[in-house]
Amino acid sequence: MQRFRIFNVLAAGLAAALFALPQFAIAQDTAGSQISAEQGKALAFGRKQGNCLACHNMKGGALAGNIGPALSGMKARFPDSQKLFSHIWDEAKYNAMTVMPPFGRNRILSKQEIQKIVDFLYTL
């Protein structure tokens, strides 16, 4: 009888731990995405690497350009984040006449930096 009781306590504890695990992972993922988005904003607004403001208008940006489209509603415009990533990597794949630099292909930005910018753009 004592073994059965110990087993029930251990099983209940394991079940509680497994139930809490996905919630912890979601909280951790949300915090990670927020940090990534903040770093992406710094890249997008920075004048040295991303410099998205040179051509695009976006919320919170000063001295924005008007060469490219305004960057807003990005999640609705690009429901597949990989497609948005691909546009930033090399817009010429989609528009041969683009003036947007191929940030990834020309190694202006790394894959990780472009992903951070995508995370930021998804907040707009």
Side-chain angles (χ1 to χ4, degrees), residues 65-92:
N66 60 0
I67 296 168
L71 301 179
S72 62
M74 298 307 286
K75 246 183 180 174
R77 289 169 55 189
F78 291 92
D80 177 4
S81 65
Q82 197 56 40
K83 182 123 177 165
L84 178 56
F85 181 97
S86 184
H87 276 269
I88 298 169
W89 182 267
D90 185 4
E91 175 64 22

Side-chain angles (χ1 to χ4, degrees), residues 45 51-74 77 120-121 124:
F45 284 11
N51 200 13
C52 302
L53 286 171
C55 299
H56 299 278
N57 187 346
M58 64 185 111
K59 182 180 176 183
L63 302 172
N66 60 0
I67 296 168
L71 301 179
S72 62
M74 298 307 286
R77 289 169 55 189
F120 164 64
L121 293 176
L124 301 178

Side-chain angles (χ1 to χ4, degrees), residues 76-119:
R77 289 169 55 189
F78 291 92
D80 177 4
S81 65
Q82 197 56 40
K83 182 123 177 165
L84 178 56
F85 181 97
S86 184
H87 276 269
I88 298 169
W89 182 267
D90 185 4
E91 175 64 22
K93 287 181 178 177
Y94 304 96
N95 176 5
M97 302 301 290
T98 188
V99 294
M100 183 167 163
F103 286 99
R105 184 171 49 99
N106 282 358
R107 297 187 182 124
I108 299 166
L109 295 169
S110 69
K111 288 181 181 181
Q112 293 80 12
E113 290 169 327
I114 293 173
Q115 186 57 56
K116 289 174 183 180
I117 290 173
V118 168
D119 290 344

